[in-house]
Each structure stands twice: as C-alpha cells, then as structure tokens.
Amino acid sequence: MKTAYLLVPFAPLVGAMVAGFAGRAIGKKATHRVAILGVLVSLLASLWVMHDVSQGNTFNGALYSWAVIGKLKMEVGFLIDQLTAMMMVVVTFVSLMVHVYTIGYMEEDDGYQRFFAYISLFTFSMLMLVMSNNLLQLFFGWEAVGLVSYLLIGFWYTKPSAIYANLKAFMVNRVGDFGFVLGIGLLVAWTGSLDYAEIFAAAPNLEKVTIQLIGDTPWSLITVTCICLFVGAMGKSAQFPLHVWLPDSMEGPTPISALIHAATMVTAGIFMVSRMSPLYEMSEVALSFVMIIGAITAFFMGLMGIIQNDIKRVVAYSTLSQLGYMTVALGASAYSVAVFHLMTHAFFKALLFLGAGSVIIGMHHDQDIRHMGGLRKYMPITWITSLIGSLALVGTPFFSGFYSKESIIEAVHHANVPGSGIAYWALLSGVFVTAFYSFRMYFLVFHGKPRFETAHGHDAHGHDAHGHDGHGAHVPHESPWVVTVPLVLLAIPSIIIGALAADSMITGEYFKGVITVFADKHPAMAALAEHWHGWVAMALHGFTSLPFWLMVAGIATAWYFYLVNPAIPARLQQTFKGIYTILENKYYLDRFNEWFFAGGARRLGSGLWKRGDQGLIDGLVVNGSARLVGWFSRVLRQGQTGFLNHYAIAMIIGLAFLLFWFLPLLASAQ
C-alpha cells in the first residue's frame, strides 16, 4: 500500500515538472495529457486507499527523516485514515475535473503549459498537506498551496489588478500564518514533538497549564495555542477579518477559482481544526471564538453577494459564507458535520465556479450578469448543471448541500458553547440570504429577457479575457465538451453524495477514532445522532423545517425582484443607500487595512529609514564618527608646526607627564 500512498501526491508532481520544464518542447496536447494522467493516477490511487481504509487498514509512519535536533524529529510522513482518505478523493476528483476543463478554457492562452504546471503543483501541495502526520509537513503543504495560489491568482502578471490581488492574498495570509507558526511553536515547546500522535498523547497533561502573556495574568496554554492555530485557519480559510483576499483572487483564471476556492486551499483551515479536535475539545474559549468568527463570516459575507454583478464574485462571496457555516460547526464540536459540508460544498461549489466559467466563455468573456439573461436557450447543459449547483447550495431537500447544511444548523441549535444562540440565528438568516443572492444570479443569467443584445461597447468585461477582445454584442453559445463534461460529472455528486454519506457523517461513525468529541461537554453530535432516522426521513422532514421555508422565501423574493418587478431593487437601493454604500465598500475593511496595516507598515518603514537609517546610522554613527575624527585631526594638526623647538618642548612635557605618572607607582612597589 505504501506505493499507492506515494502515487497519490507524487503523480501530480511529475505532471507538474513535465509541464513546467518541458511543456514548450512537447507542445500543448502532450502537456495536458501528461498533467491529466498524473492527476488521474492520483485519483485512482486515492479511491483504492479509501477502499482499503474502509476495511479498517490505516497507516501512520515516517517516510523520510529530514533533521533531528536533540529529541525533536523533523520528518516527512503520512497519516492515512478516514479523514485523510476522504480529503484525498475530494481533492483529486475536483482537480481532475479542473484539469479537463482547462483544456477548453485556456486553449488560446499563451501560458497554457505554465497553467497546467501550476495546477498540478497545487494538487501535489494540497495532498501533502492533508496526508501529513506531523506539523512540519502540514506547514510545508500549508505554505506550498499559498505559494502556488500566489502564482495562479497573478497568472496574468501583466495586469495591475492581478498583481494587486496576488500581493493582497500573499500578505493577508502571512498575517494568518504568523499566528499559525506561534501555535505550532507552543506545541513544540511544551510537547517536544511535531508528530500528531505524540502531541495528542501529551495534550491531557497540558489542559491545566497556564502561561503569562501580559503581566502576571495567567492564560490557558491550550486556549492560546488553539486560537493561534485558528488564526492561521482564518487566513487560509478566509474568515473575518482575514477574508478580504478571496474576492479579489477572482482576478485569476476561472479554473483556479474552482480548484483553490471551492475544494482545496480554502478548506485547509477546516481540515486542520478537525484534525486538531483533541486540542480544541479542551478549550471552551477557543471553540466559542471559532463559532463567533464563523457566524460573522457566514452572515455578513452572504450579504455582500447580494450586490455583486460579476458572476465570479457572487460565487466567491458564497464561498466565504459557506466557509463560515463550516467554521460555526467546528465551534459547536460538530467536526464531522463541518467536514461533511466541506465535501459536499467542494462538488457543488466547483460546479458553480466552472459553470460561471462556461457562461463567461459563452458570453465571449463578459462577466457582468446585467448583460446576460435568457441563456437557458443558448446554453442548455450549462443551465441545467448550474441549476443543480444552485439548488445544492441553498439546501434543497434531497440535494447534497441540504444534508450537510441542515446538519450544521441543527448542531448549532443543540450546542452549549457560548455564542451558539447568536450563531444559530446568523445561520438561519444566512439561509434566506444565500437563496436570494444565488437565485438572483441564476435568474439574471439564465431567465428573463436577453440583455446581451443591448450590452454595447464593452470590451471583455471582467477579468478572464485572456487574449480575447470584446467585439460588441455576441450571440451566446454552449461551451465545448471539455468544459461541459466536467460540469456533468460534478453535477452527479452534487445531487447524490449527501444522501450516500449522510448516515456515517452525521452520526459520526465514519470518523470514529479519528475525530475527538467530548460528548459530556459538547452534546451537539450526540443530539444529531439521536434524532437521525435515515436520509429519506431527513429530507422529507426538511420540507417542514424553518430553513426550508426561509430558502423558499429567498428564491421567491429573487424571482419577484428580478423577473416580475425588476424596478424594486433599484428603489430599494435608493431607499437604503447608506447600507448599500457600506456593502459596496466591503464594510470599509479594505480601506482600513490599506490605512492601518499597509499604510502603517509604510509609515513605520519610512520612520525607520529617515530616523533610524538616515538619522541614527548614517547621521550619528557613520557621519558622526567621521566628523569626530575630522575634529580630532584638526586639533592634532595645530601641533604640527615644523619648528624643532616646539617638538623639543612637547617631548619635555611628555617626559614630565610620564615621570609624574610612574614615579608613585615605582615608590609603592618598593
């Protein structure tokens, strides 16, 4: 089985190396074949590993010892269990769909081979992250996906907006990673190990340990460690206030939006907290902190989706909101439900991103949903698959998103963590908001009167023009098969995967022995298992639940506003102009960050340069020492007269001084 374990991450790495170093030599066709073959091999190996794990076979061991410092071992190793196997299959399947999709989407781009190299390298990095059995390898994968996402977001490196977006993503994630490193450092300092198993074994001894951070006030070591680790998750999984990078990352090509922002990188934080569940279960404060941050993100980022007109940004804010749902579930100790939503969300959100990309192709790279309408007739496959993705996203009974989303809401309802009441109502409100902005986009794009015929003078609105120029109005067309086939293949799990996995995921049996929950302290999962009566009964009951009717209300409102009486949104915008302005300015967080963090960094740098470098170092140390030497030299030059009698007098004075100094010493010595 070790061969299969190695094939999973390294097959995409081989594809990335071939595409990156030999892509231009072998040509476009050979490049995408090699890259797709690498990911296909990885998917097949992942499926085999999942089957093997389902038989009760797990693996935890080191593959390579990088360094040994005292008793601290730094190793490359794999932990293959139920959580790892599920993540491997999700990552490789979505990655394979993105690879195939890229053939049609990027065929005219000059960076075709480079793009395949990047997405294959990203797949390798993400797999190394989820397969790690120690914090060192986890951090390697963590930073590697960040590096490749930087390259992918700024893929069109001649565009100022893309450059700004990838720098923003890079800097915001460094803030989160600073906290992440602190958390890792605390664990290493107090446990002496980087290995998950050893850390978890030592964790109970640390529950009552306190440290001093400010003054003499004691802080729980576990709480501080968990919050620091979660700060890393806030950056990587785009939680408030470190979410600001994700919407701007839409500057990259659409395939990476599906790969990075749906199934892989942004879910790394959710995976990490779930893996660290033995630590989080020991800190009520940390769980409450996680829940509140998730609730803020779920609701307020959902509101942002209402005013977006760029089709990709609507889906991006949807991703932020759904990540908030997963984070709230983590705070409720419903780790298995959070991971369940991670899995279902990966399929339908990748479907929505790729569907948006198909619309962009059909619209000749116009991304403004106000220029669309009536595309159902022109793009039937894109239409039906996008509808499936939207129904899954809003939580329609019998669709995959329903089972995971409904379970999160119920888990929070039964949770006893401080802040769970606020989080519950935030999630319920988010159901209406999600349904409204999702179907606002759906109705504006696929239904109503076609508006692309009147959209004049736009030159490839949006960001994915990659070499295409706008030519005025075009008749939309269905995308090629390399684009539509991944849509169909992603639509299938978007419908059925929830029902197939609901029993084991909701009851927590699938993750037994992998995820730790203190049921006596945190009863949410026990309550879910107690009320579980099968996926059919859950779906049927869903038609009578409050979230369902909130969803229906959201869809109905969107239908009336944008198909029946489209004048209403404009009137509401004028009536609530203040709220609209706040949303349009993204809660002024970007401005604050630019003024406080970016501006503060510039001001600090300027101060250190002018006062530290120029004033202290150059002015006082360098120039000051030079002036002192010059002054001393000028003084000495006064004695260089050239007269012999002056030098004789100086010698006599010097001799007298020496005698005056040494005679007392000689006398005392005798």
Side-chain angles (χ1 to χ4, degrees):
M1 285 303 297
K2 283 190 177 181
T3 304
Y5 301 155
L6 292 171
L7 275 176
V8 173
F10 290 107
L13 179 62
V14 172
M17 294 174 66
V18 172
F21 295 115
R24 292 196 177 275
I26 64 179
K28 287 185 175 182
K29 188 174 290 186
T31 296
H32 71 236
R33 285 177 176 174
V34 170
I36 290 172
L37 178 62
V39 181
L40 177 60
V41 169
S42 181
L43 172 61
L44 294 175
S46 297
L47 291 170
W48 175 252
V49 171
M50 175 173 266
H51 172 72
D52 188 60
V53 169
S54 68
Q55 304 301 310
N57 301 315
T58 59
F59 175 81
N60 183 15
L63 302 177
Y64 172 73
S65 183
W66 181 53
V68 178
I69 305 173
K71 296 182 179 180
L72 181 63
K73 296 180 180 179
M74 299 182 181
E75 299 173 327
V76 176
F78 290 160
L79 172 58
I80 308 298
D81 56 18
Q82 293 91 324
L83 178 59
T84 305
M86 185 275 293
M87 291 295 298
M88 287 160 58
V89 172
V90 170
V91 170
T92 52
F93 180 79
V94 173
S95 179
L96 180 62
M97 296 299 102
V98 170
H99 275 69
V100 175
Y101 181 94
T102 299
I103 298 173
Y105 198 87
M106 301 292 289
E107 62 177 343
E108 299 179 27
D109 197 281
D110 293 335
Y112 187 86
Q113 293 96 326
R114 178 165 57 93
F115 190 82
F116 271 100
Y118 287 171
I119 58 177
S120 292
L121 183 61
F122 182 92
T123 307
F124 159 75
S125 303
M126 189 65 196
L127 288 168
M128 289 296 286
L129 188 158
V130 300
M131 295 174 70
S132 64
N133 75 337
N134 63 83
L135 291 172
L136 177 68
Q137 188 176 325
L138 175 71
F139 187 71
F140 163 76
W142 194 272
E143 294 302 312
V145 294
L147 170 64
V148 184
S149 69
Y150 171 85
L151 297 173
L152 286 166
I153 294 168
F155 182 78
W156 293 311
Y157 51 82
T158 58
K159 291 175 57 183
S161 57
I163 297 170
Y164 177 80
N166 70 354
L167 285 174
K168 187 176 182 179
F170 186 83
M171 296 304 296
V172 172
N173 273 277
R174 296 294 71 74
V175 175
D177 290 350
F178 179 70
F180 192 51
V181 170
L182 289 178
I184 293 174
L186 285 170
L187 288 175
V188 173
W190 286 90
T191 66
S193 178
L194 289 162
D195 187 83
Y196 294 160
E198 294 179 5
I199 291 172
F200 297 156
N205 300 325
L206 305 178
E207 187 172 4
K208 298 185 183 298
V209 175
T210 59
I211 56 177
Q212 283 74 43
L213 297 179
I214 303 172
D216 297 327
T217 304
W219 293 71
S220 168
L221 173 66
I222 288 293
T223 296
V224 174
T225 302
C226 289
I227 290 176
C228 285
L229 291 173
F230 182 68
V231 170
M234 287 168 64
K236 199 67 71 181
S237 292
Q239 295 297 291
F240 176 89
L242 301 182
H243 68 280
V244 294
W245 66 270
L246 192 144
D248 287 351
S249 68
M250 296 299 107
E251 291 289 341
T254 298
I256 68 108
S257 300
L259 185 61
I260 295 178
H261 309 133
T264 51
M265 190 183 88
V266 294
T267 61
I270 309 299
F271 166 80
M272 182 273 295
V273 175
S274 299
R275 178 64 79 190
M276 298 293 156
S277 60
L279 302 180
Y280 281 88
E281 283 299 284
M282 293 189 292
S283 175
E284 196 89 349
V285 175
L287 289 175
S288 182
F289 179 78
V290 170
M291 178 174 285
I292 294 299
I293 293 295
I296 293 171
T297 307
F299 179 70
F300 288 100
M301 295 306 109
L303 291 178
M304 289 293 303
I306 296 174
I307 68 163
Q308 302 301 315
N309 294 314
D310 185 311
I311 188 171
K312 287 173 63 178
R313 287 183 181 264
V314 177
V315 186
Y317 279 106
S318 168
T319 299
L320 283 172
S321 182
Q322 297 307 304
L323 287 167
Y325 274 80
M326 301 175 206
T327 303
V328 170
L330 296 174
S333 292
Y335 308 98
S336 59
V337 174
V339 174
F340 184 27
H341 196 52
L342 182 159
M343 179 184 67
T344 61
H345 175 265
F347 296 117
F348 64 71
K349 188 52 60 69
L351 172 60
L352 287 171
F353 268 119
L354 297 187
S358 180
V359 169
I360 293 169
I361 294 173
M363 287 293 297
H364 303 274
H365 303 279
D366 187 351
Q367 296 180 202
D368 196 324
I369 60 177
R370 294 170 297 183
H371 299 158
M372 302 176 188
L375 296 188
R376 177 171 59 96
K377 295 183 292 184
Y378 302 93
M379 307 179 70
I381 299 175
T382 302
W383 161 65
I384 192 65
T385 51
S386 296
L387 176 59
I388 290 170
S390 298
L391 291 172
L393 170 62
V394 301
T396 308
F398 291 105
F399 285 79
S400 63
F402 162 78
Y403 294 99
S404 55
K405 197 172 180 179
E406 185 82 5
S407 298
I408 291 175
I409 296 171
E410 284 300 308
V412 175
H413 181 62
H414 293 291
N416 58 357
V417 177
S420 56
I422 297 173
Y424 176 69
W425 288 106
L427 297 189
L428 282 179
S429 304
V431 172
F432 174 86
V433 174
T434 302
F436 180 79
Y437 70 67
S438 298
F439 276 84
R440 168 183 177 266
M441 180 183 73
Y442 170 76
F443 290 134
L444 286 176
V445 173
F446 295 106
H447 293 271
K449 183 180 178 182
R451 295 177 296 278
F452 51 84
E453 297 175 353
T454 60
H456 57 85
H458 61 276
D459 294 332
H461 291 272
H463 316 295
D464 278 14
H466 51 87
H468 301 270
D469 296 323
H471 305 289
H474 296 273
V475 177
H477 58 83
E478 185 62 272
S479 301
W481 71 268
V482 289
V483 172
T484 55
V485 167
L487 296 180
V488 173
L489 293 177
L490 284 167
I492 296 170
S494 297
I495 299 173
I496 66 172
I497 196 68
L500 294 177
D503 184 53
S504 58
M505 295 275 188
I506 294 174
T507 60
E509 289 297 320
Y510 180 78
F511 297 113
K512 192 173 183 179
V514 178
I515 289 174
T516 300
V517 178
F518 296 163
D520 55 333
K521 293 183 177 180
H522 308 128
M525 288 303 299
L528 286 181
E530 184 181 346
H531 294 92
W532 175 252
H533 301 291
W535 63 273
V536 175
M538 181 178 180
L540 293 175
H541 178 265
F543 287 108
T544 64
S545 65
L546 179 58
F548 173 78
W549 292 108
L550 288 170
M551 178 200 73
V552 171
I555 296 173
T557 305
W559 168 79
Y560 185 77
F561 280 16
Y562 296 98
L563 291 184
V564 179
N565 196 349
I568 290 181
R571 289 203 299 268
L572 289 175
Q573 181 178 330
Q574 290 298 319
T575 304
F576 301 99
K577 193 172 182 179
I579 297 175
Y580 182 85
T581 302
I582 293 173
L583 294 175
E584 193 175 35
N585 286 277
K586 308 174 186 176
Y587 304 110
Y588 295 97
L589 287 172
D590 278 343
R591 291 192 182 182
F592 175 78
N593 290 335
E594 289 175 6
W595 171 78
F596 185 79
F597 291 107
R602 286 195 297 269
R603 288 190 290 273
L604 177 63
S606 179
L608 291 173
W609 165 52
K610 290 183 178 179
R611 293 177 178 81
D613 186 41
Q614 289 187 336
L616 181 61
I617 298 174
D618 290 344
L620 183 61
V621 179
V622 178
N623 296 332
S625 61
R627 285 193 291 269
L628 179 63
V629 171
W631 173 83
F632 190 68
S633 299
R634 286 194 298 272
V635 173
L636 290 179
R637 279 199 299 271
Q638 302 302 315
Q640 301 295 323
T641 61
F643 294 103
L644 184 60
N645 56 335
H646 290 174
Y647 297 146
I649 292 171
M651 290 175 63
I652 293 169
I653 293 172
L655 182 61
F657 175 79
L658 290 173
L659 290 172
F660 177 79
W661 182 265
F662 282 108
L663 281 177
L665 295 175
L666 292 172
S668 63
Q670 291 177 353

